[in-house]
């Protein structure tokens, strides 16, 4: 890892009797795009707000560029944030919104205007500079908010689910804008989101949080292919999760015994995770395949997820390309046979 | 068809209500231009004599000056106090906030005459009665709750992230208050200032009790009416009505403007 820009050590945040963040340790590198992801109430936004200084840690240290930030007030931190609500100033036009941070730093009018316009042009909304922010579309407002945060040339940009209010097609475009900007500027982006597609698409590293704790940190592919816990396996991607008992090099479950690596000592409980897109489905019976009946399907475009039920009631999921569906001739109640390659299973040591 | 009849009847009813409310005021304005001494029908001839008298009357001029000073000062003080309390309510969570707000909103619920007596007792006890600024103090107490109510409504409309966004972009708390909260509240501040000025300008009971020799316009009206029947009262009444209505309409315009623009 390059020099860490932000270091959180043993950070705890309590609100009254509720602990929002439990002993969090996290290093964020200079120039890194990091996504903090988790369900609502997992402490991801609180963590971001502690970096910005909007919340003070109850315990532990927050350092930026080596400097202890715990008692540095918000306005002296230079950690601009793009808010979920965008928080644009409704009484200022687009350009004045972008100028705000420069005005607070005492930059003179001419320079301020020049730099604001430069950023508005860069984000392709120069034509709307003098428009009231109320009259702009969601995507344009988003760009104003981005320009407002970046115009002061910070070392870090904090993003608090800013894309959650946008239409699906705009989300993809804004993801493109964000990744391009981050690469061009080479500054650190900390992006809080509950959307795995956003995190997987943009981040260098993903931090998964649950109930105030970090449960896994890793590159998007690691998180996606080798979830470290049942929680991550359920939260990211589409996984089949089977509980059983370790037999050393295989795991015994209600559906049969499957080979897997990294299992705990024989006799101990273990869990097997098989990603839905690695499961093979066919109508013809095959050796070792699990007979199932189709319950429902979820069509999302290029891929379709089929939900099936095994004889003992276990629910299994299969993801297949939409174009492969024709051969299956799927109907509710139809019988199918599922199997997966020996190396597709990923063992968890917990249950 | 029956819907149109119903609409017609409702409009007629509305018209009656307005006639009922405004007839006395319209009558007062009409009689202020009447040459007869007593307000009776048929009317005499048109005259501006009533207005000429009041503009020539030094005592009424003095009262008008007092009223303007009192209502302007009250407006500034009450709006400032109202903003401070509304902002405290918006920004902070603390124990006994409910009682705190109730206490602030209390003055308008007390009967004016009781309020006036209490004010007189208190102000004379601390040796501050009978001055022009005695009325200003009393009126500020009386009108601040209205200012606070208007400003509180406005602060409820603010995006809670807005002020934090200003800090996040490098403004200190004071700077954010000045460059974000105040501009956001500006229409409501103007509205509150107009309304408090109007209330103070019209207020009689409290002013009469604590004013001593410094009479305001409503106080002098009562004195004239007590003495004799004089058409100039109608003239003063019309001017007072015009002033207050202008202020109230201004307050309403800014109120509507801010509701319209989130």
């Amino acid at each position: 890892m390059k020099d860490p820009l932000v270091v959180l050590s043993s950070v705890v945040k309590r609100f009254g009797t509720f602990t929002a963040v439990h002993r969090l340790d996290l290093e964020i590198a200079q120039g890194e795009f990091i996504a903090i992801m988790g369900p609502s109430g997992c402490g991801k936004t609180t963590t971001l707000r502690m970096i910005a200084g909007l919340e003070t840690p109850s315990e532990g240290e927050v350092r930026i560029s080596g400097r202890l930030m715990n008692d540095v007030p918000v306005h002296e931190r230079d950690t601009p944030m793009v808010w979920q609500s965008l928080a644009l100033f409704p009484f200022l036009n687009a350009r004045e919104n972008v100028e705000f941070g420069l005005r607070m730093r005492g930059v003179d009018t001419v320079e301020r205007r020049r730099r604001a316009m430069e950023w508005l042009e860069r984000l392709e909304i120069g034509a709307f500079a003098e428009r009231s922010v109320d009259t702009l579309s969601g995507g344009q407002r988003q760009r104003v908010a981005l320009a407002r945060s970046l115009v002061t040339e910070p070392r870090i940009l904090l993003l608090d689910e800013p894309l959650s209010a946008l239409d699906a097609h705009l989300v993809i475009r804004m993801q493109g804008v964000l990744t391009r900007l981050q690469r061009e500027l080479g500054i650190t982006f900390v992006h809080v989101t509950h959307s795995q597609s956003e995190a997987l698409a943009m981040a260098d590293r993903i931090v998964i949080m649950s109930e105030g704790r970090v449960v896994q940190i890793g590159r998007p592919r690691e998180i996606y292919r080798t979830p470290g816990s049942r929680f991550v396996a359920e939260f990211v991607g589409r996984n089949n999760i089977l509980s059983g008992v370790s037999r050393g090099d295989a795991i015994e479950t209600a559906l049969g015994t499957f080979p897997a690596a990294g299992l705990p000592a024989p006799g101990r409980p273990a869990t097997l995770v098989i990603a839905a897109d690695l499961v093979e489905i066919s109508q013809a019976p095959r050796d070792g395949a699990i007979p199932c009946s189709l319950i429902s399907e979820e069509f999302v475009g290029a891929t379709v997820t089929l939900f099936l039920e095994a004889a003992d009631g276990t629910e299994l999921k299969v993801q297949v390309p939409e174009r492969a569906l024709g051969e299956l001739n799927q109907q509710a109640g139809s019988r199918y046979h599922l199997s997966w390659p020996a190396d597709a299973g990923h063992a968890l040591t917990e249950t | 068809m029956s819907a149109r009849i119903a609409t017609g009847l409702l409009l007629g009813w509305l018209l009656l209500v307005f006639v009922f409310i405004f007839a006395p005021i319209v009558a007062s304005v009409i009689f202020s231009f009447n040459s007869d001494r007593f307000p009776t029908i048929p009317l005499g001839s048109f005259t501006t004599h009533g207005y000429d008298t009041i503009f020539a009357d030094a005592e009424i001029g003095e009262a008008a000056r007092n009223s303007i000073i009192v209502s302007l000062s009250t407006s500034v003080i009450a709006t400032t106090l109202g903003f401070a309390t509304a902002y405290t309510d918006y920004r902070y969570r603390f124990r006994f906030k409910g009682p705190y707000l109730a206490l602030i909103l209390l003055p308008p619920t007390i009967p004016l005459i009781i309020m006036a007596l209490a004010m007189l007792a208190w102000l004379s006890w601390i040796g501050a009665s009978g001055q022009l600024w005695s009325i200003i103090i009393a009126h500020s107490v009386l009108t601040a709750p209205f200012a606070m109510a208007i400003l509180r409504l406005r602060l409820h409309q603010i995006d809670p992230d807005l002020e934090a966004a200003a800090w996040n972009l490098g403004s200190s708390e004071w700077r954010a208050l000045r460059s974000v909260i105040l501009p956001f509240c500006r229409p409501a501040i103007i509205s509150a200032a107009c309304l408090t000025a109007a209330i103070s300008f019209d207020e009689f009971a409290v002013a009469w009790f604590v004013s001593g020799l410094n009479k305001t316009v409503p106080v002098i009206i009562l004195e004239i009416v007590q003495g004799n029947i004089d058409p100039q009262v109608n003239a003063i009444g019309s001017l007072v009505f015009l002033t207050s209505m202008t202020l109230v309409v201004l307050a309403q315009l800014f109120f509507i403007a801010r509701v319209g623009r989130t």
Side-chain angles (χ1 to χ4, degrees), chain A residues 75 79-81 85 90 104-105, chain B residues 159 161 167-169 171 261:
Chain A
H75 67 276
T79 49
M81 177 141 133
S85 66
M104 293 305 128
R105 280 165 182 73
Chain B
D159 171 355
D161 291 336
W167 305 335
N168 182 248
L169 291 165
S171 43
R261 253 195 77 176

Side-chain angles (χ1 to χ4, degrees), chain A residues 193-344:
Chain A
T193 179
H194 63 265
S195 150
Q196 54 167 308
S197 60
E198 276 177 29
L200 293 171
M202 296 190 286
D204 295 322
R205 276 197 310 157
I206 297 177
V207 177
I208 308 269
M209 287 183 75
S210 166
E211 291 174 348
R213 293 187 167 84
V214 170
V215 289
Q216 193 170 359
I217 302 182
R219 304 199 155 274
R221 291 196 60 145
E222 283 167 24
I223 300 272
Y224 188 74
R225 281 300 176 209
T226 55
S229 63
R230 195 183 186 99
F231 172 81
V232 178
E234 281 169 354
F235 189 67
V236 181
R238 267 276 154 73
N239 290 304
N240 293 294
I241 301 164
L242 305 175
S243 304
V245 180
S246 169
R247 290 286 170 253
D249 55 357
I251 175 171
E252 191 180 311
T253 71
L255 293 176
T257 303
F258 306 99
L263 284 164
R268 298 196 64 93
T271 304
L272 186 67
V273 178
I274 312 104
D277 61 326
L278 299 177
V279 178
E280 288 156 6
I281 182 168
S282 66
Q283 282 176 304
R286 276 173 296 144
D287 206 25
I290 303 160
C292 294
S293 57
L294 183 66
I295 300 168
S296 62
E297 56 181 300
E298 182 189 73
F299 174 64
V300 290
T303 60
V304 175
T305 306
L306 303 176
F307 296 87
L308 301 103
E309 197 177 65
D312 71 331
T314 309
E315 193 194 80
L316 293 166
K317 290 161 251 174
V318 187
Q319 249 171 17
V320 290
E322 193 273 335
R323 62 189 158 77
L325 272 184
E327 306 157 20
L328 286 173
N329 182 30
Q330 82 284 9
Q331 270 173 9
S334 308
R335 307 289 299 170
Y336 293 101
H337 297 268
L338 304 186
S339 61
W340 51 85
D343 61 354

Side-chain angles (χ1 to χ4, degrees), chain B residues 52-72:
Chain B
D52 297 338
T53 344
I54 60 170
F55 283 122
D57 190 327
E59 209 187 357
I60 294 174
E62 175 73 16
R65 203 181 59 92
N66 285 343
S67 272
I68 290 167
I69 294 173
V70 168
S71 67
L72 284 182

Side-chain angles (χ1 to χ4, degrees), chain A residues 49 52 54 74-75 78-81 83-91 97 100-101 103-105 132 134 148-149 158, chain B residues 154 158-173 175-176 179-186 261-262:
Chain A
R49 291 174 66 90
L54 295 161
V74 187
H75 67 276
D78 199 14
T79 49
M81 177 141 133
W83 306 72
Q84 184 167 20
S85 66
L86 299 185
L88 295 176
F89 303 120
F91 44 87
N97 261 282
F100 191 89
R103 182 148 67 90
M104 293 305 128
R105 280 165 182 73
S132 153
D134 291 342
R148 183 179 74 173
S149 300
L158 308 177
Chain B
R154 179 56 172 164
I158 204 168
D159 171 355
D161 291 336
L162 218 56
E163 196 175 19
W167 305 335
N168 182 248
L169 291 165
S171 43
S172 65
E173 298 206 9
R175 197 91 198 266
S179 52
V180 173
I181 301 291
L182 285 180
F184 185 85
C185 290
R186 199 170 59 194
R261 253 195 77 176
T262 50

Side-chain angles (χ1 to χ4, degrees), chain B residues 12-254:
Chain B
W13 173 249
L14 184 69
L15 204 69
L16 275 176
V17 171
F18 274 119
V19 167
F20 184 75
I21 294 172
F22 287 103
I25 296 163
V26 173
S28 165
V29 174
I30 292 171
F31 287 123
S32 75
F33 292 106
N34 187 16
S35 61
D36 292 348
R37 179 154 175 222
F38 295 101
T40 50
I41 290 174
L43 294 168
S45 57
F46 177 86
T47 175
T48 54
H49 179 71
Y51 291 90
D52 297 338
T53 344
I54 60 170
F55 283 122
D57 190 327
E59 209 187 357
I60 294 174
E62 175 73 16
R65 203 181 59 92
N66 285 343
S67 272
I68 290 167
I69 294 173
V70 168
S71 67
L72 284 182
S73 314
T74 299
S75 161
V76 171
I77 296 170
T79 306
T80 310
L81 283 175
F83 177 79
T85 43
Y87 183 72
T88 311
D89 167 49
Y90 158 76
R91 183 66 200 283
Y92 301 99
R93 249 167 255 234
F94 48 91
R95 245 142 80 86
F96 308 120
K97 187 162 161 176
Y100 164 82
L101 288 175
L103 211 60
I104 288 163
L105 289 168
L106 202 60
T109 66
I110 300 170
L112 267 181
I113 197 79
I114 310 274
M115 186 78 183
L117 272 169
M119 276 290 174
L120 177 62
W122 164 250
L123 289 173
S124 54
W125 190 47
I126 60 167
S129 71
Q131 308 293 321
L132 205 52
W133 47 268
S134 316
I135 316 177
I136 297 174
I137 294 174
H139 278 183
S140 299
V141 173
L142 207 61
T143 57
F146 294 99
M148 134 114 178
I150 291 177
L151 287 157
R152 200 156 158 255
L153 263 178
R154 179 56 172 164
L155 284 169
H156 270 292
Q157 297 175 332
I158 204 168
D159 171 355
D161 291 336
L162 218 56
E163 196 175 19
W167 305 335
N168 182 248
L169 291 165
S171 43
S172 65
E173 298 206 9
W174 276 110
R175 197 91 198 266
L177 185 69
R178 238 174 46 219
S179 52
V180 173
I181 301 291
L182 285 180
F184 185 85
C185 290
R186 199 170 59 194
I189 290 171
I190 298 173
S191 180
C194 290
L195 191 70
T196 49
I199 299 173
S200 163
F201 196 79
D202 285 351
E203 202 285 328
F204 164 72
V206 174
W208 188 63
F209 270 81
V210 302
S211 62
L213 297 171
N214 303 283
K215 293 163 197 154
T216 58
V217 171
V219 174
I220 209 129
I221 292 178
L222 186 79
E223 283 192 358
I224 297 170
V225 184
Q226 275 174 332
N228 54 0
I229 296 171
D230 193 324
Q232 67 172 342
V233 169
N234 287 325
I236 307 177
S238 302
L239 289 178
V240 170
F241 173 72
L242 187 72
T243 313
S244 304
M245 272 318 268
T246 310
L247 287 169
V248 172
V249 166
L250 277 177
Q252 280 295 319
L253 283 179
F254 280 99

